[in-house]
Amino acid sequence: SNLAHAEFLHLATNAYVWLCCGINHVRPHRHHPMLLTLSFSESEVSSVVAGESSLYIRLSAASVESPATPGTNTPAAGYATGVVLQLPDFEVHEKSEPTFGRIRAGALRIQKQSKRSCALPVEYNTPVELELAFANGASMLVSASAFIASFEGEPNFHESLAC
């Protein structure tokens, strides 16, 4: 079934991350049947909000790829809405305003490895740094005790119509 295939892809992807990247603090979100790859570059930030213990970065449009479909072996590019990046126990090292709009470049550093994308949803329970450079010239660098990328509501994927 499609759900079993998605669960297999989810587990296989996280096992790949764990085995190949040496990241042993990844917790998959099994309650989401959809596993996408989130690219920080080209995603759109709608807000950056500091809560009591976490920093929340809400993406109005997350740049994502869906897994390759059987027969095509090509992932589909598109976007997802309602995506939130959560950074618990955060410290802001650099931030210039305004921190919203299109992300020109971004990197998540985990155990001295720099990633320009990550699984969606995913949770890394290890210290991280997130660096974002916005198209408007603003930038931010944040460290945190963990990194969580998840959907606020139902997981969704909208295929890009760009030619």
Side-chain angles (χ1 to χ4, degrees):
S1 79
N2 288 339
L3 183 57
H5 185 256
E7 184 69 12
F8 171 76
L9 287 174
H10 187 121
L11 295 173
T13 302
N14 283 327
Y16 175 80
V17 168
W18 182 74
L19 291 172
C20 296
C21 301
I23 300 168
N24 57 6
H25 299 281
V26 177
R27 188 177 85 188
H29 286 253
R30 291 187 185 201
H31 60 279
H32 288 291
M34 183 181 300
L35 181 69
L36 302 170
T37 300
L38 166 67
S39 174
F40 300 112
S41 177
E42 301 304 318
S43 289
E44 296 273 342
V45 173
S46 60
S47 67
V48 177
V49 177
E52 282 188 36
S53 62
S54 290
L55 183 70
Y56 298 93
I57 301 172
R58 286 186 168 69
L59 304 179
S60 54
S63 177
V64 296
E65 281 189 351
S66 70
T69 56
T72 66
N73 290 334
T74 305
Y79 69 94
T81 57
V83 174
V84 177
L85 311 179
Q86 180 183 354
L87 295 125
D89 305 317
F90 70 99
E91 182 177 342
V92 177
H93 299 282
E94 174 188 317
K95 184 177 177 190
S96 60
E97 297 292 340
T99 52
F100 66 85
R102 185 175 63 83
I103 298 172
R104 180 178 45 80
L108 179 65
R109 285 187 279 286
I110 306 167
Q111 297 178 350
K112 299 182 184 179
Q113 296 177 11
S114 185
K115 300 169 61 71
R116 300 203 183 289
S117 62
C118 67
L120 175 64
V122 73
E123 182 174 340
Y124 294 103
N125 289 311
T126 189
V128 300
E129 281 188 341
L130 179 64
E131 184 172 18
L132 301 176
F134 294 84
N136 62 17
S139 63
M140 66 184 304
L141 174 62
V142 179
S143 62
S145 64
F147 174 85
I148 303 159
S150 61
F151 289 95
E152 281 189 300
E154 288 296 314
N156 63 87
F157 172 75
H158 307 277
E159 192 166 345
S160 173
L161 300 177
C163 297

